[in-house]
Amino acid sequence: MSELQPAEFKDSAAQAAAAASELPDMPGEKMVLNMGPSHPATHGVLRIVLELDGEIITKAVPDVGFLHRGDEKIAENMTYTQFIPYTDRLDYLAPLANNVAYALAVEKLLGIQDRLPPRCQHIRVICAELARISSHLLGIGAYAMDVGALTVFLLTFTEREKIYNLCEALTGARFTTSYTRIGGVSRDTPPGWCAAVRKFLDEVVINIAEVEKLLTRNRIWVDRTRDVGVISKEAAIDYGLSGPNLRGSGVDYDLRKAQPYLCYADLQFDVPLGSVGDCYDRYLVRMEEMRQSVRIIHQCLDRIPGGFDNAAKEPVSVPDGKTVLPAKDKVLSRMEELIHQFMLVTEGINVPPGEVYFGHENPKGELGFYIQSRGGGTPYRLKIRSPSFVNLSILPHLMPGHMMSDTVTILGSLDFVMGECDR
């Protein structure tokens, strides 16, 4: 072996020293951490398997299904009307909106969606927008509490309790309402209810403004949410996001505008959009959506057919005894109505063969129902497109590169509920 000459030795030593100074730190062993399924920031039974390099997330794998109840298979073993209470248990923070979405899907299959009485349409829109306000109030309150702002949660929960009082007066239940019926609603608004809704709207806008004062320019809130969890327009579309998470990335898509249903085409409202697609934008979009929902409900109350107490006796269901249960006094006095009630209760609505998909702009995003019928009173196949399930699919793409402490911020900004995710 040839020996190095003194000059060559000096050059080699210098090169070795330079290379040693540029060597990166040796990577340590990565840690795998289970977050959930009972972590308070996962808002339910979501489990995320996190791979960490120190405090940096390198991999995130969501693990869902802990709340799976087989709703879709249950639907195939009961009549269309019997499944309505199960829709309450999907996004259980907005049961009224779930009821409306499912009823519209079945009505589209029946071909009666254009025959719904105007008063019924206005009541349904009021219910859906109250559900949106209720869901966003809790979503923002829990989101703020995750990041450390407990006062916001107390403010939003107070207003949400008022919505529950309105739900109780209208439906008889506070949480699982089961109010909508295929072809209409179960009952008309009680005396004084519309005036109570108007009073609530005047109060909730004050609360929304108070929450904005506490959060929108709060230094801690801004630092924890701005430029964190950025979702680009392209990624939001590729992963099928919908609702505020999609619009927070600047994609102008709202089913109430794109594919109007009920009386939304006659109402004036704006669709708020984000510009960056970060956690802060998703917060701002939901705050403005609540204001727009207040605006929509005011218009419905102004033009509801029959007035607040329906002195003109405007119908709230389609006049079809083979779709809607007949009035009880007629059932007790006329044979035809008695037969109709017996058939509807025992066999269900006779839905013609066919298949249909209907997407509804729910608070969490697009809640869709695909129904396949082979005739008769029960669906042959029912598939639920739950927005929370689809929105969570972006976590493996979104979370790597963030700090461990950013996890609760990102999850709160996505505003999911595991009841509809797992179904």
Side-chain angles (χ1 to χ4, degrees), residues 77-267:
N77 291 277
M78 53 177 50
T79 67
Y80 290 94
T81 301
Q82 287 172 339
F83 187 64
I84 291 174
Y86 286 83
T87 64
D88 292 328
R89 277 82 176 169
L90 296 174
D91 178 3
Y92 40 75
L93 305 180
L96 284 169
N98 303 337
N99 294 165
V100 171
Y102 171 69
L104 285 169
V106 180
E107 287 158 3
K108 185 176 181 180
L109 188 57
L110 285 166
I112 63 171
Q113 70 272 23
D114 297 328
R115 294 171 50 199
L116 293 173
R119 184 173 179 86
C120 166
Q121 296 187 38
H122 283 74
I123 292 174
R124 284 187 178 185
V125 169
I126 292 172
C127 290
E129 296 306 321
L130 282 176
R132 194 180 317 278
I133 297 172
S134 174
S135 179
H136 285 352
L137 283 173
L138 181 63
I140 290 173
Y143 179 20
M145 186 170 61
D146 290 343
V147 181
L150 179 61
T151 306
V152 173
F153 181 79
L154 300 177
L155 286 172
T156 58
F157 216 79
T158 299
E159 294 303 307
R160 185 167 170 266
E161 190 68 16
K162 296 176 184 177
I163 296 178
Y164 277 178
N165 291 336
L166 293 172
C167 291
E168 185 177 18
L170 178 66
T171 72
R174 297 171 64 81
F175 201 61
T176 48
T177 54
S178 301
Y179 175 62
T180 308
R181 293 291 182 271
I182 296 163
V185 293
S186 61
R187 62 183 66 85
D188 200 356
T189 57
W193 188 80
C194 291
V197 172
R198 181 87 79 183
K199 180 174 180 292
F200 163 75
L201 297 178
D202 294 337
E203 295 172 355
V204 75
V205 291
I206 299 173
N207 182 279
I208 294 171
E210 187 68 22
V211 170
E212 281 195 325
K213 287 181 182 178
L214 291 171
L215 290 182
T216 304
R217 297 181 64 184
N218 184 298
R219 179 63 182 272
I220 298 173
W221 175 260
V222 172
D223 288 348
R224 289 292 304 274
T225 59
R226 182 165 285 174
D227 297 325
V228 174
V230 177
I231 303 174
S232 66
K233 281 186 178 182
E234 295 75 18
I237 295 171
D238 288 346
Y239 280 88
L241 302 190
S242 56
N245 295 323
L246 177 67
R247 294 188 286 273
S249 296
V251 181
D252 188 359
Y253 184 73
D254 188 311
L255 286 167
R256 297 171 296 175
K257 291 277 192 181
Q259 301 171 21
Y261 50 89
L262 297 177
C263 59
Y264 278 111
D266 302 324
L267 303 174

Side-chain angles (χ1 to χ4, degrees), residues 332-345:
L332 298 174
S333 59
R334 297 180 59 179
M335 179 58 69
E336 187 176 3
E337 278 73 10
L338 177 62
I339 294 172
H340 283 165
Q341 171 159 307
F342 180 80
M343 298 297 290
L344 285 173
V345 171

Side-chain angles (χ1 to χ4, degrees), residues 80 109 347 349-354 372-380:
Y80 290 94
L109 188 57
E347 298 183 6
I349 302 168
N350 186 20
V351 177
Q372 184 179 357
S373 168
R374 294 193 175 180
T378 60
Y380 176 75

Side-chain angles (χ1 to χ4, degrees), residues 213-390:
K213 287 181 182 178
L214 291 171
L215 290 182
T216 304
R217 297 181 64 184
N218 184 298
R219 179 63 182 272
I220 298 173
W221 175 260
V222 172
D223 288 348
R224 289 292 304 274
T225 59
R226 182 165 285 174
D227 297 325
V228 174
V230 177
I231 303 174
S232 66
K233 281 186 178 182
E234 295 75 18
I237 295 171
D238 288 346
Y239 280 88
L241 302 190
S242 56
N245 295 323
L246 177 67
R247 294 188 286 273
S249 296
V251 181
D252 188 359
Y253 184 73
D254 188 311
L255 286 167
R256 297 171 296 175
K257 291 277 192 181
Q259 301 171 21
Y261 50 89
L262 297 177
C263 59
Y264 278 111
D266 302 324
L267 303 174
Q268 300 295 321
F269 63 97
D270 300 321
V271 178
L273 302 175
S275 57
V276 179
D278 55 8
C279 294
Y280 188 69
D281 269 356
R282 291 191 281 276
Y283 150 75
L284 291 176
V285 165
R286 289 187 175 91
M287 291 298 292
E288 182 58 28
E289 278 195 4
M290 288 193 289
R291 285 199 168 95
Q292 295 301 319
S293 291
V294 169
R295 181 181 173 191
I296 289 171
I297 298 174
H298 271 306
Q299 293 176 65
C300 287
L301 292 174
D302 289 340
R303 61 179 69 177
I304 186 169
F308 277 13
D309 295 326
N310 198 10
K313 302 297 181 184
E314 291 285 334
V316 294
S317 299
V318 294
D320 183 358
K322 295 183 179 180
T323 303
V324 179
L325 285 174
K328 184 62 68 176
D329 58 338
K330 292 183 179 179
V331 172
L332 298 174
S333 59
R334 297 180 59 179
M335 179 58 69
E336 187 176 3
E337 278 73 10
L338 177 62
I339 294 172
H340 283 165
Q341 171 159 307
F342 180 80
M343 298 297 290
L344 285 173
V345 171
T346 57
E347 298 183 6
I349 302 168
N350 186 20
V351 177
E355 60 181 349
V356 71
Y357 174 82
F358 179 79
H360 182 269
E361 189 63 47
N362 250 42
K364 303 288 190 293
E366 181 180 346
L367 174 63
F369 288 92
Y370 166 79
I371 305 175
Q372 184 179 357
S373 168
R374 294 193 175 180
T378 60
Y380 176 75
R381 182 73 180 96
L382 187 142
K383 178 71 175 69
I384 303 169
R385 183 212 185 271
S386 54
S388 292
F389 179 79
V390 180

